[in-house]
Amino acid sequence: MRIEAIDVIAVRLPLRSPWHTTAGTLNGREVLLVRLRSDIGEGWGECAAFAEPGYSAEFVASARLVLRDHLAPRLLTPTEVTSTTASLLMAPVAGHRMAKSALEMAMIDAELRAEGRSFAESLGVTRTHVDAGVAIGFAGSPAELCDRIASYVDAGYRRVKLKIAPGRDLDYISAARDQFPALALQVDANGAYTVADIDHLAALDEFALLLVEQPFGDDDLVGHALLANRLRTPVCLDEPIVSVDTTASAVALGACDVVNLKAGRVGGYVAARAIHDWCVERNIPLWCGGMLETGLGRAANVALAALDGFTLPGDLSASARFYETDIVTDPIVVEHGGIAVPSGPGFGVELDLDLIERFRVA
Ligand code: MG
């Protein structure tokens, strides 16, 4: 395609309830959308970065700047570009994977719409539905947590992930496990512990968890390896998995039994596919993480998660889990514990331009 224009639009969607994590509390989701116009048509992408650099170094304002000054100019060339060559053109820009992923997404969407194919079809997935999973932020008490879990179990969710941190872990997990003995349960610490907590974390083995995600900091692969050696509960990595190389390093060290894959974090869906394939060849289980995406990013993630290597339920929930109003005309819904893989052209969702205008902040 020849790209004619790239618009970067910031919207702020109100959240139905505040999202409490170690990175702070979110009351709304500010998110960047990329609208790309080309000689083959239009496509849309979404940037996974949050407003604050809490999950990773990228944030909305940094992504806007790098998209405008460094990434978009490399793609606005008179020559032909494709979603598979885009990463090479953007490679001279170090890092900023979420910003790169947003541009790549818009290109994939435009290409597939022009071909009349769905993203799922282009990936070669055969599943028509994926299991829904939900992530729950910090609750005020174990009892409050159990009430929230009950509401999601009633809504059909088949797997629940709890955020944990020092002082907000064993009592909460124990209460959840007592009340829901058969529930598929896993925990995510977003790096809130250190290797000094290994003895404490060994108690996680009592709760028959699917996995413990990212107990230590992004850089502490050796610490994760020590913990994995101590625990029966599988250790899953999130934040440090940014490429095939970092995945291979973590696995070689014994630091990573399970991979949480997020396309934005690894620079896009092309890179995500490569990591998926690498893991499948080595029997490393995968699941698809989430970044409070709008219906656009959510639809893309559902298709990705339909790949065979995603053997565990992802953080794939209904739009309504976070948003009263989504910006797509057909928000993602959970039915009988599953989510239908979108089958329309591109990512299979239509953006509501009036809603985008209503929520636009820049
Ligand atoms: Mg995580």
Side-chain angles (χ1 to χ4, degrees):
M1 73 179 78
R2 284 183 180 80
I3 298 174
E4 293 157 359
I6 296 169
D7 298 325
V8 179
I9 304 161
V11 294
R12 188 179 188 280
L13 303 181
L15 290 181
R16 296 183 66 166
S17 57
W19 173 242
H20 302 289
T21 70
T22 46
T25 295
L26 280 185
N27 293 301
R29 174 66 160 115
E30 192 175 333
V31 60
L32 287 185
L33 304 172
V34 170
R35 179 185 201 171
L36 176 146
R37 290 173 240 231
S38 77
D39 60 345
I40 60 167
E42 186 174 286
W44 287 82
E46 173 172 341
C47 181
F50 291 117
E52 302 282 335
Y55 167 81
S56 74
E58 286 191 87
F59 58 108
V60 167
S62 76
R64 278 179 68 186
L65 195 69
V66 82
L67 280 163
R68 187 191 69 191
D69 293 349
H70 301 283
L71 297 175
R74 290 171 194 275
L75 299 182
L76 287 162
T77 69
T79 49
E80 194 78 13
V81 291
T82 70
S83 60
T84 43
T85 58
S87 64
L88 291 174
L89 293 171
M90 296 191 282
V93 177
H96 296 283
R97 291 179 173 88
M98 293 178 185
K100 291 174 179 175
S101 175
L103 269 179
E104 185 202 87
M105 258 186 95
M107 296 177 74
I108 291 172
D109 193 40
E111 287 170 349
L112 292 173
R113 283 174 184 275
E115 295 167 12
R117 289 202 301 155
S118 70
F119 184 46
E121 197 181 337
S122 75
L123 291 171
V125 307
T126 51
R127 280 190 268 181
T128 59
H129 289 75
V130 297
D131 284 346
V134 66
I136 303 181
F138 294 132
S141 67
E144 185 197 324
L145 177 66
C146 288
D147 287 347
R148 285 164 68 182
I149 295 173
S151 72
Y152 290 117
V153 169
D154 289 346
Y157 286 96
R158 292 173 185 168
R159 185 280 263 156
V160 170
K161 172 170 119 174
L162 310 179
K163 293 286 187 182
I164 58 166
R168 285 177 288 194
D169 49 18
L170 303 182
D171 293 350
Y172 288 78
I173 302 167
S174 174
R177 184 44 92 208
D178 282 350
Q179 193 165 333
F180 305 95
L183 180 65
L185 198 61
Q186 65 192 55
V187 296
D188 181 12
N190 289 101
Y193 299 88
T194 71
V195 284
D197 299 310
I198 285 184
D199 287 341
H200 174 73
L201 292 171
L204 293 177
D205 276 344
E206 288 172 36
F207 304 114
L209 302 174
L210 287 175
L211 55 89
V212 53
E213 176 181 349
Q214 202 64 44
F216 308 144
D218 303 12
D219 299 333
D220 193 3
L221 293 183
V222 171
H224 284 101
L226 290 170
L227 182 70
N229 197 38
R230 174 81 181 272
L231 285 186
R232 282 193 308 278
T233 307
V235 172
C236 171
L237 294 186
D238 173 353
E239 286 88 340
I241 302 294
V242 297
S243 62
V244 168
D245 288 344
T246 59
T247 312
S249 299
V251 168
L253 276 170
C256 180
D257 302 312
V258 178
V259 168
N260 166 355
L261 193 53
K262 293 178 179 169
R265 191 190 61 223
V266 303
Y269 288 87
V270 175
R273 177 63 190 263
I275 294 171
H276 165 273
D277 293 352
W278 188 93
C279 289
V280 167
E281 280 170 25
R282 289 154 185 85
N283 289 318
I284 312 285
L286 294 143
W287 56 278
C288 182
M291 294 288 287
L292 282 69
E293 286 87 353
T294 74
L296 174 62
R298 210 163 279 268
N301 286 345
V302 169
L304 180 73
L307 283 169
D308 289 345
F310 291 89
T311 52
L312 294 165
D315 284 342
L316 300 167
S317 55
S319 288
R321 184 257 176 270
F322 291 110
Y323 304 112
E324 199 77 55
T325 307
D326 202 335
I327 50 167
V328 296
T329 53
D330 291 307
I332 297 287
V333 293
V334 170
E335 283 176 330
H336 310 296
I339 299 175
V341 177
S343 56
F347 293 113
V349 291
E350 301 302 324
L351 280 294
D352 184 322
L353 299 182
D354 291 336
L355 286 176
I356 288 175
E357 197 49 36
R358 193 210 298 180
F359 294 124
R360 189 169 67 83
V361 289

